[in-house]
Amino acid sequence: MNIFHICDSPMAYYYQRLSNSINQYTEHSSRYYSNTSSWSSDYIVSDYIDLTQNDCIDELQTVVHGSDVIIFHATRNYNKPLVCSDGLFDIKKSMSGKKKNVLIHGQPETFPENIQKTIDFITNHKEKVKFLVATPNQLSIFPYVELFPIVGQFSANCNNYQRSVRGSESNGVTIVRRNEWKAKLFMHELLNIVKDNTTCGRIHSFLLNSIMLYKKLDRFTIIDQILLIKKLILNDPIISKKIYHKDIGDLSIIFDNRCFWQPHEVIINDLSRSDILLENDVTDYPGGGTSHTIGHEAMCMGVAVINAMTVNNSRIFANWLGTDELPPFPNWLNENDFYDNYKDYLRKLIFDCDFLEEKKEKSREYFIKYMDINNTLPRLIKILKS
């Protein structure tokens, strides 16, 4: 089976790696196209993107003609002309007899203002296209979709994904966060634990000044004011993009909150020295959160992962993996359960070393048993074949 992925961004990193893994671990062939012309070269991993706007129309046309399955990443890419070095390739004319899939990763389709548009798009095209979603929470958002989840696309035997070296340091806990718009609630609770009084005072003063400023801007609605204040707060260098270190008794706590683009090998190295990953919280995704590649990498390395997965979505994910055993996330009952208990859960991970070590151990065990590429890749191929 020949598979062709079409994406307009080089940032669909998991699916680039999946394409590469199909070539490495199966008898099938996979190609990946991305229009990288408007992106910084820092974001482009040439090992995983083998077709770009630098290729000519004839080459893209040959790939499409030889493909059995076409995967359009995001609804916006469905039948969209491909940018080539010598013009635009109208892919619609070469689609006859191909299995067509549209894979919805998440945003922007899951933005509240876009959900109905996406539902309408799916409804209008469902007879000709199979719609896939990358995360369990989307099954309750969109109709006529099938789960094609983000899962481990590597082996726990790889040298890069060995157990975290932090396990032997019982007097230290390192928490890492690597995305500035995810896990903000966890971030703020951690700041309450690790920040000093000077930092606290500066943040408090900053908030008050911001609120007083925008109260004077009568031309803005209340919602506009809140959004602008929120933007200022989250972009404030005082509470983002740095490392915090605080000793509480015999416990040394490091919060690594450097949320800016870093090469993948740097992130893996950071995870190898960490105990806890802040992946996402309930405000990041509708319908009960999800888990992503960085979370699965952390699990493989024996790092405890905190996200907003609900029991229902974890059960869907586990069922897809072929097990009744839920992943070792908090697995909240619902959003209310998250809001009531997320602070206590975070603090328990930090201050209860036995609980933390149990979660770390179970994380790696779960990945090895159920999420290793030898288990997940055949399941993904089966979906593409059907």
Side-chain angles (χ1 to χ4, degrees):
M1 179 172 62
N2 295 320
I3 304 160
F4 183 37
H5 303 255
I6 298 173
C7 189
D8 60 359
S9 158
M11 297 302 288
Y13 185 48
Y14 163 72
Y15 298 102
Q16 299 171 23
R17 295 174 69 185
L18 174 63
S19 179
N20 192 56
S21 296
I22 289 172
N23 292 322
Q24 284 188 328
Y25 290 88
T26 77
E27 72 279 13
H28 306 289
S29 173
S30 182
R31 306 293 301 272
Y32 197 101
Y33 167 88
S34 178
N35 179 12
T36 59
S37 58
S38 62
W39 290 81
S40 166
S41 60
D42 290 340
Y43 295 98
I44 300 169
V45 183
S46 57
D47 291 344
Y48 303 140
I49 300 177
D50 60 335
L51 295 167
T52 71
Q53 80 286 343
N54 296 322
D55 293 285
C56 65
I57 292 176
D58 285 346
E59 184 171 2
L60 269 294
Q61 191 172 43
T62 299
V63 172
V64 172
H65 283 163
S67 297
D68 305 296
V69 178
I70 310 290
I71 304 176
F72 298 94
H73 292 259
T75 54
R76 64 181 178 272
N77 289 311
Y78 178 61
N79 285 349
K80 180 181 178 181
L82 305 185
V83 179
C84 300
S85 60
D86 52 350
L88 295 178
F89 169 41
D90 186 358
I91 191 172
K92 288 186 293 185
K93 297 179 180 179
S94 305
M95 293 292 289
S96 178
K98 313 297 179 185
K99 291 183 180 179
K100 295 179 281 294
N101 301 268
V102 172
L103 175 57
I104 302 173
H105 299 183
Q107 298 177 356
E109 279 90 347
T110 54
F111 283 145
E113 64 269 23
N114 293 335
I115 287 177
Q116 188 56 53
K117 297 176 185 176
T118 304
I119 291 174
D120 293 341
F121 185 92
I122 294 172
T123 303
N124 292 334
H125 295 87
K126 63 183 178 65
E127 301 301 330
K128 297 180 179 179
V129 182
K130 180 162 66 175
F131 285 91
L132 307 169
V133 292
T135 56
N137 60 308
Q138 295 186 72
L139 294 173
S140 61
I141 299 175
F142 302 122
Y144 313 113
V145 296
E146 181 179 350
L147 183 61
F148 189 87
I150 299 171
V151 289
Q153 70 280 46
F154 49 87
S155 173
N157 294 324
C158 293
N159 291 333
N160 290 341
Y161 296 110
Q162 298 307 303
R163 182 170 173 78
S164 168
V165 299
R166 296 290 300 176
S168 61
E169 301 182 22
S170 58
N171 64 330
V173 176
T174 298
I175 306 102
V176 65
R177 175 174 174 261
R178 280 294 175 267
N179 193 304
E180 63 184 352
W181 62 268
K182 295 180 183 176
K184 294 171 190 169
L185 294 178
F186 287 119
M187 174 195 72
H188 285 289
E189 181 58 20
L190 260 174
L191 289 173
N192 289 331
I193 297 173
V194 300
K195 68 193 177 188
D196 57 34
N197 291 331
T198 302
T199 301
C200 181
R202 285 191 293 165
I203 294 174
H204 184 253
S205 174
F206 173 81
L207 295 178
L208 285 179
N209 290 338
S210 299
I211 292 171
M212 294 304 296
L213 170 65
Y214 285 101
K215 274 187 176 180
K216 298 177 183 179
L217 302 179
D218 294 333
R219 65 183 181 276
F220 291 104
T221 67
I222 295 297
I223 293 177
D224 289 333
Q225 293 177 33
I226 293 173
L227 290 176
L228 285 169
I229 294 171
K230 183 178 179 182
K231 183 175 181 180
L232 277 175
I233 294 171
L234 294 176
N235 288 333
D236 177 37
I238 293 173
I239 60 174
S240 65
K241 301 184 180 180
K242 58 188 293 187
I243 297 177
Y244 300 84
H245 185 185
K246 186 171 185 179
D247 294 329
I248 300 179
D250 294 332
L251 181 64
S252 179
I253 303 173
I254 297 174
F255 176 30
D256 185 345
N257 192 41
R258 291 174 296 165
C259 293
F260 44 82
W261 186 89
Q262 299 173 40
H264 181 247
E265 59 270 19
V266 174
I267 294 176
I268 292 299
N269 185 59
D270 290 341
L271 285 176
S272 73
R273 296 179 287 104
S274 300
D275 300 287
I276 301 169
L277 169 71
L278 306 186
E279 187 175 18
N280 62 66
D281 63 42
V282 78
T283 63
D284 297 337
Y285 299 95
T290 186
S291 60
H292 289 98
T293 298
I294 189 172
H296 300 159
E297 290 176 322
M299 290 175 65
C300 186
M301 301 169 79
V303 177
V305 178
I306 304 182
N307 58 33
M309 287 278 277
T310 62
V311 170
N312 183 59
N313 286 329
S314 283
R315 186 171 292 116
I316 292 171
F317 183 61
N319 287 343
W320 191 93
L321 293 172
T323 176
D324 294 330
E325 183 181 350
L326 298 184
F329 303 141
N331 295 321
W332 314 98
L333 296 177
N334 49 44
E335 289 193 7
N336 289 336
D337 182 35
F338 177 91
Y339 282 116
D340 290 341
N341 296 294
Y342 79 90
K343 295 180 181 179
D344 292 337
Y345 187 89
L346 174 61
R347 288 176 175 267
K348 186 175 182 180
L349 274 181
I350 294 172
F351 294 106
D352 186 335
C353 62
D354 291 335
F355 182 70
L356 174 59
E357 287 305 314
E358 177 188 355
K359 287 296 181 182
K360 291 172 63 175
E361 189 69 32
K362 287 185 175 179
S363 292
R364 181 159 171 82
E365 289 178 357
Y366 193 92
F367 185 94
I368 292 173
K369 287 172 66 176
Y370 306 117
M371 296 177 63
D372 194 274
I373 194 168
N374 294 312
N375 181 56
T376 59
L377 193 52
R379 298 172 187 273
L380 294 171
I381 292 293
K382 184 178 180 180
I383 293 174
L384 296 180
K385 280 185 173 181
S386 63

